Amino acid sequence: MNGGRRITYEEISKKSGISIATISRVMNKSNQVTEATRSKVLSALKSEGYDTDEYDIAKDEERLILFNVPSLKNIFYSPIISAARMQAERKGYTLLINEFDIKSDNIERFIRLVKKTNALALIMTNSMTRELLERINSEIITVMCCEAVLDGPSAYVTIDDEGAAYTAVRYLISLGRRKIAFINGPASFKYARERLKGYEDALREAGLDVDRRYVAEIGEDMDYESSKAAAIHLLSYTEYPDAFFTSSDVIACAVEKAALEKGLKVPEDIAVVGFDDIMASHMANPSITTVRQPTVQMGSLSADMAIKLIEKDDKFLKSVLLGTELIIRQSTTI
């Protein structure tokens, strides 16, 4: 302190307008205090000539938020992570990126890892059961991004996957396509389950059969080679698909390549719709019609949610369901 009489909590309370209990948390450098409140208390101390460095949590430790993805091989996560990092840094936090495929048999190992980082909150894009999410949420503030347990304990920011898939498939049907294949990610993911439902609903509403032969599921990395293998398999049928709806632009690029190798033209013989609107959809030849996800919004909002929860500024915080946009390009237009 300043070498003289020690100021009492009661005096600090009168000067700052902050409760004695909260002042005690500030003096003990608790993370359970908003930065605005901490600043008021420290300002009151400074006005009395006290050195407040020892009570300023930001002076002696990193304020970490952990951002966990199941696989860094999926390039879709890159703009989301970048947006989350920018938002965190604007608010004085550091975003730590981690790759961990969380399952029931490694959940305790993941929690031990989280504790070692001393992170104040966790953002994750993993697929989650309610039970796993409850276990993680009991240990650390948790926000889900892209994925969500809609009735779970954690805030989330995601998109209307079902509606996006329905719109894309209805568009293909409007072009006169009737044998529409779907290459999807793993059913353990919310997005995959909802997009499958949107695909099926669009077909049934149009009076078309849902032919399970035309539905393929690949791994969560959604890598190019696996995608291409799935597309070649579907194009090997005597009655091959006349259109593909896919759960990523990487898959859509692989479909275009598979069609070329089969001697088929896009979009004349095969119409193709991707998902995400990553740079590859612009660069492909022909360019790919795709569902644009608001990746920057998802990253920024997820970081903002985590910070509000850390700083107890979450009175009006609500989970967010964002819309998407179908971007028409050359892979569907003759």
Side-chain angles (χ1 to χ4, degrees), residues 175-194:
L175 300 177
R177 309 292 173 155
R178 293 296 179 266
K179 297 183 294 231
I180 302 171
F182 180 29
I183 303 181
N184 198 11
S188 59
F189 282 82
K190 168 245 178 205
Y191 80 79
R193 296 190 301 273
E194 290 194 356

Side-chain angles (χ1 to χ4, degrees), residues 276-305:
D276 297 337
D277 195 31
I278 63 173
M279 187 58 66
S281 66
H282 301 256
M283 297 170 64
N285 186 22
S287 58
I288 295 169
T289 293
T290 188
V291 177
R292 176 180 291 164
Q293 291 207 61
T295 50
V296 171
Q297 280 183 275
M298 286 194 286
S300 182
L301 282 170
S302 63
D304 194 54
M305 285 180 177

Side-chain angles (χ1 to χ4, degrees), residues 68-71 74 77 100-104 106-107 110 122-134 136 142-150 158 185-193 217 219-220:
N68 194 80
V69 295
S71 173
N74 191 336
Y77 296 130
F100 199 108
D101 190 12
I102 305 167
K103 306 292 183 186
S104 58
N106 65 17
I107 182 69
F110 175 72
L122 167 69
I123 303 169
M124 60 180 176
T125 63
N126 303 67
S127 64
M128 282 282 113
T129 64
R130 184 185 177 91
E131 291 72 26
L132 288 180
L133 183 58
E134 286 176 344
I136 294 169
T142 304
V143 173
M144 297 198 71
C145 180
C146 308
E147 284 294 295
V149 177
L150 301 182
T158 187
S188 59
F189 282 82
K190 168 245 178 205
Y191 80 79
R193 296 190 301 273
E217 182 180 308
E220 64 188 40

